[in-house]
Amino acid sequence: MRRSKYDIKSLPGFFGITILCLFILYAPLVVVTVYSLNDSNSITNWEGVSLRWYVDVFSGHESQKFKIAAWNSFTIAIIAATVATTIATLAATAMVRGGKFKLRTVSFGLISLPLMVPEIVLAVATLIFFNSVGFTRGYATILIAHIAFCIPFAYLPISARMQGIDDSYEQAAQDLYATKRQAFTRILLPMMIPGIISGYLLAFIVSLDDFIITNFVKGAGVETLPTAIFGSVKQGIKPNIMAISTMLLGVSVILVTISYFVSKTDNKK
Amino acid sequence: MAGGAASGGSASTDTYKEARNWLLLPAWVYLGVFVLIPVIMMLVYSFLTKEFRGGVVWEFSTAAYDQFFFDRGLFGDEPAKIEWTYITIFWRSIWQAAAATLLALAIGFPTAYFIATRPERARPMWVFLITIPYWVNLLIRTVSMKFMLRDTGPLNDVLIGIGLINDPISIINTNFAVQLGLFYSYLPFMVLPIYASVERYNFSLSEAAADLYASKWVTLRRILLPAVKPGVIAGCILVFVPSMGSFLAPDLLGGAKNFMIGSLIEEQFKGNAGNWPFGAAASMVLLSMVLIILMIFARQQAKAEKEVS
């Protein structure tokens, strides 16, 4: 019986295609990483392993540009993720613990709107908005736009986590004369921490990685890492771009991995 | 507990019912002001007159849509003919996105199936492996793709190395390069929804079919595939929609001949040559198409759910 069940599920060739799929997904990432270690002035020739292009990123003639871009990218990502996570946590509490209400579907539609509208359309709309209300494009406009599209990315893991928490804990707290506010801050919020961290990290990565919307609303002179990389790539792929890309890639992979393991904690209890 | 989460929130309660509106207010205000109003503004802009150095003049005009669909000659006084330039770009975007979707389905379905038939404890790890590349910067992934596909890049080196070809094949700046780029960008989106529906599929149905001497492939096609169809459609939409409006893959991999709608839109807002109302109109056309696709999809999903219950 066990044998036949196993047979039904396994289809010939599917394992091979899965390996191919993973190969396709990872090959470009591996190639960038490997070539960032290339000790050559051109990206075409392989001349042995060295870290010279990493040194170049921090002290080469473009280092000043990258430093400013990195500062902009990381500060925007930190602020955008913080604000978006706060808004998303409050919204998730209303959506998951607020009973049935008329505007529930509309609210959910509004929260997921940045995900449904194609990114380039959102970029155009945001640019037009800033232009017509007379905001000068720069750091602030990037930040405002980032918070908006970070909200759904923070919301999804947070609300998923909250749906998994039985409300009997909060009921018990209230039976013991805790106010609703206390039940929220002392019981629900601590239990929500893994979901909130996970949502925060996803929002952070999405902000750090965004190119299209940033490119539209940044204005002249203000660059983030992706727009700086794009500007350099337009003149040809240089080895220092490989190095800076590898570092950015590393940050994303590490944060996603943390997010994954944090969101898994306690799920089995 | 897990059942509550799966059925879409039976774990949801009304503990904070009184505070509900206050809790939702920041999200409403923020997304209303910085997402919903901008989209409405864009609709308004698409009906304004263009200012020659970028920007708009506040005068009602349908010129932007007229320019998109009709050709009235150089001075605008000839009888209107259909303007094919932009419709062709639009059509190319649809076609490129469709090709990328089919590629993603061909690789994504077997992968999703394979992962869903692993032992339960191993599945999250596989899913995690599929999602990691999605979180890596799309720009970096596309640049890397450009690097790999170059005439003297690793792909050609490998193909020549194993003796499959003698001379490097030029892939960069072709339609195929764009399709590969789009396929690669959104492949994880195909795998995840199909995985979710195959995982829920009751394999005893397949066993019943096998007991009645159906072959594996017949069982897959006639029993499993209809059951997991919503997941397959969801995957196709999640790949097709972002592909159609994509900017990076056609810009970096396609070159000037393989222009897609994203590049057309971007061009209208760069420098002084831009035509803002036209860019807004092209964005509106793209947005309307996406919303129609999503609406048809939502209706189908609702119908499928009704059939199940």
Side-chain angles (χ1 to χ4, degrees), chain B residues 122-137:
Chain B
R123 288 176 207 160
M125 207 57 217
W126 283 98
V127 172
F128 179 56
L129 278 177
I130 297 288
T131 42
I132 290 180
Y134 165 71
W135 296 106
V136 171
N137 195 320

mmCIF file with all atom_site columns, all heavy atoms in Angstrom, chain B residues 122-137:
data_model
loop_
_atom_site.group_PDB
_atom_site.id
_atom_site.type_symbol
_atom_site.label_atom_id
_atom_site.label_alt_id
_atom_site.label_comp_id
_atom_site.label_asym_id
_atom_site.label_entity_id
_atom_site.label_seq_id
_atom_site.pdbx_PDB_ins_code
_atom_site.Cartn_x
_atom_site.Cartn_y
_atom_site.Cartn_z
_atom_site.occupancy
_atom_site.B_iso_or_equiv
_atom_site.pdbx_formal_charge
_atom_site.auth_seq_id
_atom_site.auth_comp_id
_atom_site.auth_asym_id
_atom_site.auth_atom_id
_atom_site.pdbx_PDB_model_num
ATOM 1   N N   . ALA B 1 122 ? 9.925  18.381 5.244  1.00 0.00 ? 122 ALA B N   1
ATOM 2   C CA  . ALA B 1 122 ? 10.960 18.893 4.344  1.00 0.00 ? 122 ALA B CA  1
ATOM 3   C C   . ALA B 1 122 ? 10.448 20.043 3.490  1.00 0.00 ? 122 ALA B C   1
ATOM 4   O O   . ALA B 1 122 ? 11.235 20.811 2.951  1.00 0.00 ? 122 ALA B O   1
ATOM 5   C CB  . ALA B 1 122 ? 11.466 17.762 3.453  1.00 0.00 ? 122 ALA B CB  1
ATOM 6   N N   . ARG B 1 123 ? 9.108  20.168 3.368  1.00 0.00 ? 123 ARG B N   1
ATOM 7   C CA  . ARG B 1 123 ? 8.560  21.133 2.407  1.00 0.00 ? 123 ARG B CA  1
ATOM 8   C C   . ARG B 1 123 ? 8.945  22.591 2.670  1.00 0.00 ? 123 ARG B C   1
ATOM 9   O O   . ARG B 1 123 ? 9.345  23.280 1.735  1.00 0.00 ? 123 ARG B O   1
ATOM 10  C CB  . ARG B 1 123 ? 7.031  21.009 2.371  1.00 0.00 ? 123 ARG B CB  1
ATOM 11  C CG  . ARG B 1 123 ? 6.581  19.729 1.689  1.00 0.00 ? 123 ARG B CG  1
ATOM 12  C CD  . ARG B 1 123 ? 5.076  19.606 1.762  1.00 0.00 ? 123 ARG B CD  1
ATOM 13  N NE  . ARG B 1 123 ? 4.681  18.211 1.727  1.00 0.00 ? 123 ARG B NE  1
ATOM 14  C CZ  . ARG B 1 123 ? 3.496  17.774 2.145  1.00 0.00 ? 123 ARG B CZ  1
ATOM 15  N NH1 . ARG B 1 123 ? 2.619  18.626 2.647  1.00 0.00 ? 123 ARG B NH1 1
ATOM 16  N NH2 . ARG B 1 123 ? 3.208  16.506 2.071  1.00 0.00 ? 123 ARG B NH2 1
ATOM 17  N N   . PRO B 1 124 ? 8.845  23.082 3.935  1.00 0.00 ? 124 PRO B N   1
ATOM 18  C CA  . PRO B 1 124 ? 9.154  24.503 4.138  1.00 0.00 ? 124 PRO B CA  1
ATOM 19  C C   . PRO B 1 124 ? 10.554 24.868 3.676  1.00 0.00 ? 124 PRO B C   1
ATOM 20  O O   . PRO B 1 124 ? 10.786 25.940 3.131  1.00 0.00 ? 124 PRO B O   1
ATOM 21  C CB  . PRO B 1 124 ? 9.011  24.674 5.657  1.00 0.00 ? 124 PRO B CB  1
ATOM 22  C CG  . PRO B 1 124 ? 8.096  23.590 6.071  1.00 0.00 ? 124 PRO B CG  1
ATOM 23  C CD  . PRO B 1 124 ? 8.388  22.432 5.165  1.00 0.00 ? 124 PRO B CD  1
ATOM 24  N N   . MET B 1 125 ? 11.493 23.944 3.853  1.00 0.00 ? 125 MET B N   1
ATOM 25  C CA  . MET B 1 125 ? 12.873 24.209 3.432  1.00 0.00 ? 125 MET B CA  1
ATOM 26  C C   . MET B 1 125 ? 12.943 24.399 1.908  1.00 0.00 ? 125 MET B C   1
ATOM 27  O O   . MET B 1 125 ? 13.603 25.319 1.427  1.00 0.00 ? 125 MET B O   1
ATOM 28  C CB  . MET B 1 125 ? 13.741 23.015 3.863  1.00 0.00 ? 125 MET B CB  1
ATOM 29  C CG  . MET B 1 125 ? 15.187 23.366 4.087  1.00 0.00 ? 125 MET B CG  1
ATOM 30  S SD  . MET B 1 125 ? 15.368 24.686 5.314  1.00 0.00 ? 125 MET B SD  1
ATOM 31  C CE  . MET B 1 125 ? 16.740 25.575 4.602  1.00 0.00 ? 125 MET B CE  1
ATOM 32  N N   . TRP B 1 126 ? 12.243 23.530 1.177  1.00 0.00 ? 126 TRP B N   1
ATOM 33  C CA  . TRP B 1 126 ? 12.231 23.658 -0.291 1.00 0.00 ? 126 TRP B CA  1
ATOM 34  C C   . TRP B 1 126 ? 11.593 24.984 -0.712 1.00 0.00 ? 126 TRP B C   1
ATOM 35  O O   . TRP B 1 126 ? 12.107 25.688 -1.580 1.00 0.00 ? 126 TRP B O   1
ATOM 36  C CB  . TRP B 1 126 ? 11.446 22.509 -0.924 1.00 0.00 ? 126 TRP B CB  1
ATOM 37  C CG  . TRP B 1 126 ? 12.181 21.206 -0.984 1.00 0.00 ? 126 TRP B CG  1
ATOM 38  C CD1 . TRP B 1 126 ? 12.074 20.171 -0.107 1.00 0.00 ? 126 TRP B CD1 1
ATOM 39  C CD2 . TRP B 1 126 ? 13.130 20.788 -1.976 1.00 0.00 ? 126 TRP B CD2 1
ATOM 40  N NE1 . TRP B 1 126 ? 12.888 19.135 -0.484 1.00 0.00 ? 126 TRP B NE1 1
ATOM 41  C CE2 . TRP B 1 126 ? 13.549 19.485 -1.630 1.00 0.00 ? 126 TRP B CE2 1
ATOM 42  C CE3 . TRP B 1 126 ? 13.668 21.386 -3.121 1.00 0.00 ? 126 TRP B CE3 1
ATOM 43  C CZ2 . TRP B 1 126 ? 14.484 18.776 -2.398 1.00 0.00 ? 126 TRP B CZ2 1
ATOM 44  C CZ3 . TRP B 1 126 ? 14.590 20.677 -3.878 1.00 0.00 ? 126 TRP B CZ3 1
ATOM 45  C CH2 . TRP B 1 126 ? 14.990 19.386 -3.517 1.00 0.00 ? 126 TRP B CH2 1
ATOM 46  N N   . VAL B 1 127 ? 10.469 25.298 -0.085 1.00 0.00 ? 127 VAL B N   1
ATOM 47  C CA  . VAL B 1 127 ? 9.778  26.545 -0.428 1.00 0.00 ? 127 VAL B CA  1
ATOM 48  C C   . VAL B 1 127 ? 10.694 27.735 -0.155 1.00 0.00 ? 127 VAL B C   1
ATOM 49  O O   . VAL B 1 127 ? 10.795 28.668 -0.949 1.00 0.00 ? 127 VAL B O   1
ATOM 50  C CB  . VAL B 1 127 ? 8.467  26.680 0.377  1.00 0.00 ? 127 VAL B CB  1
ATOM 51  C CG1 . VAL B 1 127 ? 7.851  28.055 0.178  1.00 0.00 ? 127 VAL B CG1 1
ATOM 52  C CG2 . VAL B 1 127 ? 7.494  25.596 -0.036 1.00 0.00 ? 127 VAL B CG2 1
ATOM 53  N N   . PHE B 1 128 ? 11.390 27.670 0.974  1.00 0.00 ? 128 PHE B N   1
ATOM 54  C CA  . PHE B 1 128 ? 12.314 28.735 1.344  1.00 0.00 ? 128 PHE B CA  1
ATOM 55  C C   . PHE B 1 128 ? 13.396 28.902 0.274  1.00 0.00 ? 128 PHE B C   1
ATOM 56  O O   . PHE B 1 128 ? 13.724 30.020 -0.135 1.00 0.00 ? 128 PHE B O   1
ATOM 57  C CB  . PHE B 1 128 ? 12.924 28.416 2.712  1.00 0.00 ? 128 PHE B CB  1
ATOM 58  C CG  . PHE B 1 128 ? 13.909 29.422 3.177  1.00 0.00 ? 128 PHE B CG  1
ATOM 59  C CD1 . PHE B 1 128 ? 13.554 30.761 3.289  1.00 0.00 ? 128 PHE B CD1 1
ATOM 60  C CD2 . PHE B 1 128 ? 15.204 29.047 3.519  1.00 0.00 ? 128 PHE B CD2 1
ATOM 61  C CE1 . PHE B 1 128 ? 14.477 31.695 3.721  1.00 0.00 ? 128 PHE B CE1 1
ATOM 62  C CE2 . PHE B 1 128 ? 16.116 29.983 3.949  1.00 0.00 ? 128 PHE B CE2 1
ATOM 63  C CZ  . PHE B 1 128 ? 15.756 31.307 4.052  1.00 0.00 ? 128 PHE B CZ  1
ATOM 64  N N   . LEU B 1 129 ? 13.934 27.772 -0.209 1.00 0.00 ? 129 LEU B N   1
ATOM 65  C CA  . LEU B 1 129 ? 14.964 27.821 -1.255 1.00 0.00 ? 129 LEU B CA  1
ATOM 66  C C   . LEU B 1 129 ? 14.449 28.508 -2.521 1.00 0.00 ? 129 LEU B C   1
ATOM 67  O O   . LEU B 1 129 ? 15.170 29.238 -3.193 1.00 0.00 ? 129 LEU B O   1
ATOM 68  C CB  . LEU B 1 129 ? 15.421 26.406 -1.616 1.00 0.00 ? 129 LEU B CB  1
ATOM 69  C CG  . LEU B 1 129 ? 16.456 25.775 -0.706 1.00 0.00 ? 129 LEU B CG  1
ATOM 70  C CD1 . LEU B 1 129 ? 16.757 24.350 -1.152 1.00 0.00 ? 129 LEU B CD1 1
ATOM 71  C CD2 . LEU B 1 129 ? 17.726 26.606 -0.715 1.00 0.00 ? 129 LEU B CD2 1
ATOM 72  N N   . ILE B 1 130 ? 13.168 28.275 -2.828 1.00 0.00 ? 130 ILE B N   1
ATOM 73  C CA  . ILE B 1 130 ? 12.593 28.888 -4.027 1.00 0.00 ? 130 ILE B CA  1
ATOM 74  C C   . ILE B 1 130 ? 12.397 30.395 -3.825 1.00 0.00 ? 130 ILE B C   1
ATOM 75  O O   . ILE B 1 130 ? 12.542 31.179 -4.755 1.00 0.00 ? 130 ILE B O   1
ATOM 76  C CB  . ILE B 1 130 ? 11.226 28.221 -4.366 1.00 0.00 ? 130 ILE B CB  1
ATOM 77  C CG1 . ILE B 1 130 ? 11.405 26.738 -4.695 1.00 0.00 ? 130 ILE B CG1 1
ATOM 78  C CG2 . ILE B 1 130 ? 10.521 28.947 -5.500 1.00 0.00 ? 130 ILE B CG2 1
ATOM 79  C CD1 . ILE B 1 130 ? 12.060 26.462 -6.019 1.00 0.00 ? 130 ILE B CD1 1
ATOM 80  N N   . THR B 1 131 ? 12.068 30.804 -2.576 1.00 0.00 ? 131 THR B N   1
ATOM 81  C CA  . THR B 1 131 ? 11.735 32.225 -2.362 1.00 0.00 ? 131 THR B CA  1
ATOM 82  C C   . THR B 1 131 ? 12.963 33.122 -2.203 1.00 0.00 ? 131 THR B C   1
ATOM 83  O O   . THR B 1 131 ? 12.874 34.303 -2.494 1.00 0.00 ? 131 THR B O   1
ATOM 84  C CB  . THR B 1 131 ? 10.843 32.430 -1.124 1.00 0.00 ? 131 THR B CB  1
ATOM 85  O OG1 . THR B 1 131 ? 11.331 31.606 -0.091 1.00 0.00 ? 131 THR B OG1 1
ATOM 86  C CG2 . THR B 1 131 ? 9.408  32.147 -1.415 1.00 0.00 ? 131 THR B CG2 1
ATOM 87  N N   . ILE B 1 132 ? 14.095 32.578 -1.731 1.00 0.00 ? 132 ILE B N   1
ATOM 88  C CA  . ILE B 1 132 ? 15.270 33.441 -1.490 1.00 0.00 ? 132 ILE B CA  1
ATOM 89  C C   . ILE B 1 132 ? 15.584 34.337 -2.692 1.00 0.00 ? 132 ILE B C   1
ATOM 90  O O   . ILE B 1 132 ? 15.682 35.555 -2.535 1.00 0.00 ? 132 ILE B O   1
ATOM 91  C CB  . ILE B 1 132 ? 16.523 32.618 -1.112 1.00 0.00 ? 132 ILE B CB  1
ATOM 92  C CG1 . ILE B 1 132 ? 16.353 32.032 0.276  1.00 0.00 ? 132 ILE B CG1 1
ATOM 93  C CG2 . ILE B 1 132 ? 17.774 33.503 -1.114 1.00 0.00 ? 132 ILE B CG2 1
ATOM 94  C CD1 . ILE B 1 132 ? 17.535 31.205 0.719  1.00 0.00 ? 132 ILE B CD1 1
ATOM 95  N N   . PRO B 1 133 ? 15.711 33.770 -3.901 1.00 0.00 ? 133 PRO B N   1
ATOM 96  C CA  . PRO B 1 133 ? 16.099 34.643 -5.027 1.00 0.00 ? 133 PRO B CA  1
ATOM 97  C C   . PRO B 1 133 ? 15.114 35.782 -5.266 1.00 0.00 ? 133 PRO B C   1
ATOM 98  O O   . PRO B 1 133 ? 15.512 36.853 -5.720 1.00 0.00 ? 133 PRO B O   1
ATOM 99  C CB  . PRO B 1 133 ? 16.118 33.687 -6.224 1.00 0.00 ? 133 PRO B CB  1
ATOM 100 C CG  . PRO B 1 133 ? 16.325 32.343 -5.627 1.00 0.00 ? 133 PRO B CG  1
ATOM 101 C CD  . PRO B 1 133 ? 15.616 32.374 -4.315 1.00 0.00 ? 133 PRO B CD  1
ATOM 102 N N   . TYR B 1 134 ? 13.827 35.578 -4.941 1.00 0.00 ? 134 TYR B N   1
ATOM 103 C CA  . TYR B 1 134 ? 12.863 36.649 -5.133 1.00 0.00 ? 134 TYR B CA  1
ATOM 104 C C   . TYR B 1 134 ? 13.239 37.883 -4.315 1.00 0.00 ? 134 TYR B C   1
ATOM 105 O O   . TYR B 1 134 ? 13.043 39.015 -4.745 1.00 0.00 ? 134 TYR B O   1
ATOM 106 C CB  . TYR B 1 134 ? 11.446 36.203 -4.769 1.00 0.00 ? 134 TYR B CB  1
ATOM 107 C CG  . TYR B 1 134 ? 10.508 37.373 -4.606 1.00 0.00 ? 134 TYR B CG  1
ATOM 108 C CD1 . TYR B 1 134 ? 10.094 38.101 -5.707 1.00 0.00 ? 134 TYR B CD1 1
ATOM 109 C CD2 . TYR B 1 134 ? 10.089 37.790 -3.351 1.00 0.00 ? 134 TYR B CD2 1
ATOM 110 C CE1 . TYR B 1 134 ? 9.275  39.209 -5.573 1.00 0.00 ? 134 TYR B CE1 1
ATOM 111 C CE2 . TYR B 1 134 ? 9.280  38.889 -3.196 1.00 0.00 ? 134 TYR B CE2 1
ATOM 112 C CZ  . TYR B 1 134 ? 8.868  39.592 -4.311 1.00 0.00 ? 134 TYR B CZ  1
ATOM 113 O OH  . TYR B 1 134 ? 8.083  40.694 -4.164 1.00 0.00 ? 134 TYR B OH  1
ATOM 114 N N   . TRP B 1 135 ? 13.781 37.680 -3.136 1.00 0.00 ? 135 TRP B N   1
ATOM 115 C CA  . TRP B 1 135 ? 14.086 38.798 -2.248 1.00 0.00 ? 135 TRP B CA  1
ATOM 116 C C   . TRP B 1 135 ? 15.391 39.476 -2.607 1.00 0.00 ? 135 TRP B C   1
ATOM 117 O O   . TRP B 1 135 ? 15.738 40.500 -2.015 1.00 0.00 ? 135 TRP B O   1
ATOM 118 C CB  . TRP B 1 135 ? 14.106 38.340 -0.788 1.00 0.00 ? 135 TRP B CB  1
ATOM 119 C CG  . TRP B 1 135 ? 12.777 37.869 -0.341 1.00 0.00 ? 135 TRP B CG  1
ATOM 120 C CD1 . TRP B 1 135 ? 12.403 36.565 -0.141 1.00 0.00 ? 135 TRP B CD1 1
ATOM 121 C CD2 . TRP B 1 135 ? 11.622 38.658 -0.077 1.00 0.00 ? 135 TRP B CD2 1
ATOM 122 N NE1 . TRP B 1 135 ? 11.091 36.521 0.235  1.00 0.00 ? 135 TRP B NE1 1
ATOM 123 C CE2 . TRP B 1 135 ? 10.582 37.783 0.289  1.00 0.00 ? 135 TRP B CE2 1
ATOM 124 C CE3 . TRP B 1 135 ? 11.371 40.035 -0.101 1.00 0.00 ? 135 TRP B CE3 1
ATOM 125 C CZ2 . TRP B 1 135 ? 9.310  38.230 0.610  1.00 0.00 ? 135 TRP B CZ2 1
ATOM 126 C CZ3 . TRP B 1 135 ? 10.100 40.475 0.221  1.00 0.00 ? 135 TRP B CZ3 1
ATOM 127 C CH2 . TRP B 1 135 ? 9.095  39.576 0.571  1.00 0.00 ? 135 TRP B CH2 1
ATOM 128 N N   . VAL B 1 136 ? 16.139 38.899 -3.524 1.00 0.00 ? 136 VAL B N   1
ATOM 129 C CA  . VAL B 1 136 ? 17.356 39.580 -3.964 1.00 0.00 ? 136 VAL B CA  1
ATOM 130 C C   . VAL B 1 136 ? 16.964 40.641 -4.979 1.00 0.00 ? 136 VAL B C   1
ATOM 131 O O   . VAL B 1 136 ? 16.120 40.415 -5.842 1.00 0.00 ? 136 VAL B O   1
ATOM 132 C CB  . VAL B 1 136 ? 18.353 38.576 -4.569 1.00 0.00 ? 136 VAL B CB  1
ATOM 133 C CG1 . VAL B 1 136 ? 19.506 39.307 -5.222 1.00 0.00 ? 136 VAL B CG1 1
ATOM 134 C CG2 . VAL B 1 136 ? 18.858 37.628 -3.490 1.00 0.00 ? 136 VAL B CG2 1
ATOM 135 N N   . ASN B 1 137 ? 17.563 41.795 -4.847 1.00 0.00 ? 137 ASN B N   1
ATOM 136 C CA  . ASN B 1 137 ? 17.336 42.943 -5.708 1.00 0.00 ? 137 ASN B CA  1
ATOM 137 C C   . ASN B 1 137 ? 17.135 42.572 -7.177 1.00 0.00 ? 137 ASN B C   1
ATOM 138 O O   . ASN B 1 137 ? 17.987 41.976 -7.808 1.00 0.00 ? 137 ASN B O   1
ATOM 139 C CB  . ASN B 1 137 ? 18.562 43.840 -5.561 1.00 0.00 ? 137 ASN B CB  1
ATOM 140 C CG  . ASN B 1 137 ? 18.313 45.201 -6.101 1.00 0.00 ? 137 ASN B CG  1
ATOM 141 O OD1 . ASN B 1 137 ? 17.678 45.353 -7.139 1.00 0.00 ? 137 ASN B OD1 1
ATOM 142 N ND2 . ASN B 1 137 ? 18.789 46.201 -5.387 1.00 0.00 ? 137 ASN B ND2 1
#
